[in-house]
Amino acid sequence: MTETDPALAAADASLIAPARAPATDRGSGDAVNAKSAALRTEVLAPPTEERAVLAVELLASLDEDASGDDPAEVDRAWGEAMVRRSQQIASGEVKTLSWSEVLEQVAASRNSR
């Protein structure tokens, strides 16, 4: 019996039901946590379409933060990841899903809330 890669399962779960981290003390001080909590409340208030635009902009800003990475190193790391994942699929270590199976899982997850 093959199992789904735990890392992919965690990624899939985060895509289905994104975690909303509570405003707890993470060692950076209560003022920062209060500011983060207020910001979280503010950005979750707009309608879905506006939040989607914000999400795209936030994700793009993460790419900008990584723009100083060496392109050759990034290519090498992606190449290693592709080889590893290909080997895992070929060996049956991980199970792949069709797009229709993914959509069914997402729908089931949303219906169970």
Side-chain angles (χ1 to χ4, degrees):
M1 177 177 174
T2 61
E3 294 184 24
T4 302
D5 182 329
L8 289 178
D12 292 344
S14 70
L15 290 172
I16 294 169
R20 293 188 180 144
T24 58
D25 185 8
R26 294 186 186 98
S28 58
D30 291 336
V32 172
N33 292 326
K35 184 176 180 180
S36 294
L39 180 59
R40 185 178 303 107
T41 299
E42 187 175 342
V43 299
L44 292 175
T48 303
E49 291 175 5
E50 289 179 36
R51 291 194 323 270
V53 170
L54 286 170
V56 168
E57 291 175 3
L58 284 170
L59 289 172
S61 75
L62 295 176
D63 288 341
E64 291 167 6
D65 289 347
S67 64
D69 292 342
D70 177 16
E73 178 62 19
V74 171
D75 287 344
R76 185 198 61 73
W78 272 111
E80 288 177 4
M82 287 187 289
V83 168
R84 185 184 79 253
R85 296 298 292 155
S86 295
Q87 290 170 343
Q88 290 173 324
I89 292 167
S91 72
E93 182 181 342
V94 296
K95 178 184 173 225
T96 60
L97 299 174
S98 69
W99 184 240
S100 61
E101 290 171 313
V102 171
L103 292 176
E104 288 172 15
Q105 287 184 5
V106 169
S109 174
R110 287 185 173 171
N111 291 335
S112 68
R113 288 186 202 182

